[in-house]
Amino acid sequence: MNLHKKMVLKIVIALVISFAVVYTLYGLYAFCTFMKEVKKDVQQRQVRLLCETDHKALLEACRELSGWAARGDLKQGGTYNVRRDRHPKASRFPQPILDLNPSYVYIDENDSGRVMVEMHGGLLHFGVQAYTEDYKKPFPSFEYGDKELIDGLWYYDDGYLDNPEYDKRIEALIQKGK
């Protein structure tokens, strides 16, 4: 009887371990598949923003939003979701912004005139920051973004944080799109 119990226990343990291994491998597969899709989406959004967008029109659209905030039509310090759970006011945003279908648009809280268009959040933040013509740097070491696209419109990307060679990738993407 004791031998029988040990045999059953070994079989149960083997089944539990097998189930755990299969479940873990499936989870890893699902996670890797998800991350591939996220990376593909990020790359498509980068191409749209960096290569297919009229940057002058985008800057003008952002400056228009900045004017709306200055007049009180938009909340300064406000975040306006665009892609999911669209904020009611976001539906009226200028078309160059809506065409990008960003995650959200943020209007700077300190009446500075800065507008941020966030294309992707989470672990892979990137987008543009637009500044009014009379924008004043809030402090001497302030950085506008990672890469100037045109005067007043700056690209930012978390990829710059830990990769000193990242600008070469972004520049190659821009050149490829030309």
Side-chain angles (χ1 to χ4, degrees):
M1 185 82 160
N2 206 7
L3 184 62
H4 179 64
K5 284 183 180 180
K6 285 183 181 180
M7 188 74 120
V8 169
L9 183 60
K10 285 181 180 181
I11 290 171
V12 168
I13 290 172
L15 287 172
V16 168
I17 290 172
S18 297
F19 177 76
V21 168
V22 167
Y23 187 75
T24 301
L25 290 174
Y26 177 75
L28 284 172
Y29 171 77
F31 178 74
C32 290
T33 301
F34 172 75
M35 289 308 292
K36 279 183 188 177
E37 289 301 312
V38 167
K39 186 175 180 179
K40 183 179 172 183
D41 180 61
V42 165
Q43 290 171 339
Q44 289 171 343
R45 289 180 180 284
Q46 282 178 319
V47 166
R48 184 180 314 143
L49 177 62
L50 295 170
C51 305
E52 299 170 357
T53 297
D54 179 341
H55 294 138
K56 186 172 188 271
L58 179 58
L59 177 61
E60 290 169 3
C62 290
R63 287 178 173 170
E64 184 178 341
L65 288 186
S66 182
W68 292 2
R71 289 191 307 274
D73 296 334
L74 291 176
K75 179 182 170 200
Q76 291 177 339
T79 300
Y80 297 88
N81 290 334
V82 178
R83 194 175 318 143
R84 288 188 210 109
D85 301 323
R86 183 175 281 192
H87 190 285
K89 290 189 178 185
S91 297
R92 300 180 326 170
F93 283 1
Q95 200 59 47
I97 293 171
L98 294 177
D99 287 346
L100 287 172
N101 195 25
S103 294
Y104 65 85
V105 174
Y106 175 76
I107 313 292
D108 204 3
E109 69 273 356
N110 60 10
D111 195 25
S112 68
R114 180 176 67 116
V115 171
M116 182 171 73
V117 179
E118 174 82 14
M119 294 298 294
H120 197 277
L123 299 174
L124 305 165
H125 291 272
F126 75 93
V128 291
Q129 296 191 79
Y131 301 90
T132 57
E133 290 181 46
D134 59 344
Y135 183 82
K136 305 270 190 280
K137 287 174 85 169
F139 50 90
S141 62
F142 176 82
E143 294 187 19
Y144 291 97
D146 295 308
K147 183 170 196 63
E148 187 175 32
L149 300 175
I150 60 172
D151 188 33
L153 186 68
W154 286 76
Y155 177 72
Y156 68 89
D157 190 320
D158 284 351
Y160 282 92
L161 296 175
D162 58 356
N163 184 352
E165 302 291 313
Y166 193 72
D167 193 57
K168 290 179 183 177
R169 179 189 174 280
I170 296 301
E171 188 58 38
L173 183 65
I174 292 170
Q175 292 307 315
K176 183 179 174 184
K178 286 187 177 179

